[in-house]
């Protein structure tokens, strides 16, 4: 009996150590729109994604819109080459190349590329709020999740959005995927109540509400800050041990983290 008790005590200790080590890693770098700046690559391009993966970064963020003919495409702004994406067909958008000669990538193409030779870089998918209607945004979210699942990339992908209803819509159809909110107007306890996993706010919100850092950690809510590009801001986030730091300067951030170790 004592032998069994000793075994179970050891097993519990082992589980605690394993989970503690899994949660101990902090300040994971997320390349904002891919790793593009240092090499002057187009933002949200396949090239910037490949570079982020080549750097073995923990995450690479990208932005999803839906065209007038229901193509899911990767671009940050609501307009592409002065054309409103949601009111333009994909064939008309791809007449205009990115600065490196790539065509505007679809979500399908982007996810397929993001899976290649990638065992370390999380695909951080931002679903942009619709400029037309809330309902359109929700449908875009569902189509995005469906595409990711069809490509069997759901374990390699998390979702972020400024539209809280988009995140809640995703949660209805997927109870396991990781969701992070971007707007900065809800406390960690509030997002937890709606089964949202993380607060991914501009770093200024955390400086304005420093209690949110402690509250997030106490409630097991993911802490992510964007877009942290200056060394002083990086150092502040690193010191506070955020889970993720989203940046246009992944190489600089890596140096700052190394110097703090």
């Amino acid at each position: 009996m004592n032998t069994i008790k000793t075994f179970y005590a050891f097993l519990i200790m082992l589980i605690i150590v394993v989970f503690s080590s899994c949660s101990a890693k902090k300040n994971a770098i997320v390349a904002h729109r891919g790793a593009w700046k240092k090499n002057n690559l187009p933002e949200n391009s396949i090239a910037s994604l490949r570079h982020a993966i080549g750097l073995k970064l923990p995450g690479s963020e990208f932005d999803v819109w839906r065209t007038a003919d229901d193509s899911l495409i990767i671009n940050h702004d609501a307009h592409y080459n002065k054309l409103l994406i949601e009111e333009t067909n994909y064939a008309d958008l791809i007449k205009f190349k990115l600065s490196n000669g790539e065509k505007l990538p679809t979500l399908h193409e982007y996810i397929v590329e993001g899976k290649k030779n990638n065992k370390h870089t999380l695909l951080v998918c931002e679903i942009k709020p619709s400029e037309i209607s809330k309902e359109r945004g929700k449908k875009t979210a569902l189509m995005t999740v469906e595409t990711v699942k069809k490509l069997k990339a759901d374990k390699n992908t998390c979702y972020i959005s400024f539209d809280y209803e988009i995140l809640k819509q995703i949660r209805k159809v997927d109870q396991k995927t990781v969701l992070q909110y971007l707007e900065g107007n809800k406390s960690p306890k509030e997002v937890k109540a709606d089964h949202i996993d993380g607060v991914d706010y501009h770093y200024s919100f955390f400086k304005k509400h420093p209690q949110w850092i402690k509250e997030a950690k106490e409630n097991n809510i993911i802490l992510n800050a964007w877009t942290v590009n200056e060394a002083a801001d990086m150092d502040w986030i690193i010191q506070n041990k955020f889970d993720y730091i989203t940046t246009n300067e992944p190489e600089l951030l890596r140096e700052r983290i190394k110097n703090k170790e």
Side-chain angles (χ1 to χ4, degrees):
M1 183 65 72
N2 288 335
T3 303
I4 294 174
K5 286 182 178 179
T6 302
F7 172 76
Y8 278 111
F10 172 77
L11 185 61
I12 290 169
M13 287 180 64
L14 181 63
I15 291 170
I16 291 171
V17 169
V18 170
F19 276 92
S20 296
S21 63
C22 288
S23 61
K25 184 174 176 58
K26 299 291 182 182
N27 302 317
I29 301 170
V30 177
H32 186 232
R33 308 175 200 169
W36 55 272
K37 190 172 183 180
K38 186 175 182 179
N39 294 335
N40 197 31
L41 300 170
E43 300 175 23
N44 274 316
S45 63
I46 296 292
S48 68
L49 171 63
R50 288 306 323 163
H51 189 45
I53 294 171
L55 290 171
K56 296 185 177 180
L57 298 177
S60 186
E61 183 263 359
F62 59 97
D63 306 281
V64 176
W65 290 94
R66 179 159 58 100
T67 66
D69 56 347
D70 290 336
S71 293
L72 298 171
I73 60 95
I74 311 303
N75 192 66
H76 179 262
D77 296 336
H79 291 78
Y80 176 70
N81 205 65
K82 299 182 179 180
L83 297 170
L84 186 61
I85 290 171
E86 292 190 281
E87 295 181 353
T88 308
N89 290 336
Y90 181 62
D92 293 320
L93 292 170
I94 60 172
K95 292 175 182 177
F96 306 96
K97 301 290 186 181
L98 301 180
S99 62
N100 67 342
E102 286 184 31
K103 74 176 182 68
L104 193 67
T106 64
L107 175 65
H108 186 280
E109 292 165 342
Y110 207 85
I111 295 296
V112 167
E113 193 65 33
K115 289 180 64 181
K116 290 180 182 177
N117 302 315
N118 178 16
K119 296 181 180 179
H120 40 257
T121 303
L122 178 70
L123 303 178
V124 182
C125 177
E126 179 177 346
I127 302 173
K128 306 297 283 190
S130 174
E131 301 267 303
I132 297 172
S133 71
K134 285 280 189 181
E135 290 307 311
R136 193 175 201 279
K138 290 179 184 179
K139 184 177 179 182
T140 299
L142 293 176
M143 291 174 66
T144 299
V145 172
E146 183 181 4
T147 299
V148 170
K149 286 187 174 183
K150 280 184 177 178
L151 293 172
K152 298 181 179 179
D154 41 314
K155 292 182 180 179
N156 309 87
T157 306
C158 74
Y159 301 96
I160 62 177
S161 186
F162 282 96
D163 189 329
Y164 204 63
E165 296 305 313
I166 279 178
L167 297 179
K168 289 170 71 175
Q169 182 69 52
I170 295 174
R171 182 56 78 221
K172 288 179 181 178
V173 299
D174 192 329
Q175 298 298 310
K176 295 182 179 180
T177 194
V178 174
L179 307 174
Q180 298 179 40
Y181 183 47
L182 292 168
E183 185 62 45
N185 60 357
K186 292 182 182 292
S187 71
K189 284 184 179 179
E190 287 179 288
V191 303
K192 183 177 182 178
D194 286 319
H195 308 288
I196 308 299
D197 305 280
V199 285
D200 181 3
Y201 296 162
H202 189 269
Y203 62 88
S204 62
F205 286 100
F206 293 112
K207 289 188 174 183
K208 185 178 179 181
H209 303 282
Q211 71 277 14
W212 284 357
I213 299 173
K214 182 181 179 183
E215 185 178 311
K217 291 177 180 180
E218 289 176 345
N219 286 275
N220 295 316
I221 293 297
I222 295 167
L223 276 170
N224 192 346
W226 59 267
T227 302
V228 188
N229 298 324
E230 300 297 326
D233 297 319
M234 291 177 180
D235 291 346
W236 184 82
I237 298 292
I238 293 167
Q239 183 180 356
N240 280 281
K241 296 181 179 179
F242 277 51
D243 297 293
Y244 295 94
I245 309 175
T246 303
T247 181
N248 292 332
E249 304 276 5
E251 296 89 353
L252 173 60
L253 179 54
R254 178 176 277 174
E255 289 179 14
R256 304 306 296 183
I257 293 171
K258 187 176 180 180
N259 290 338
K260 298 292 180 181
E261 291 176 346

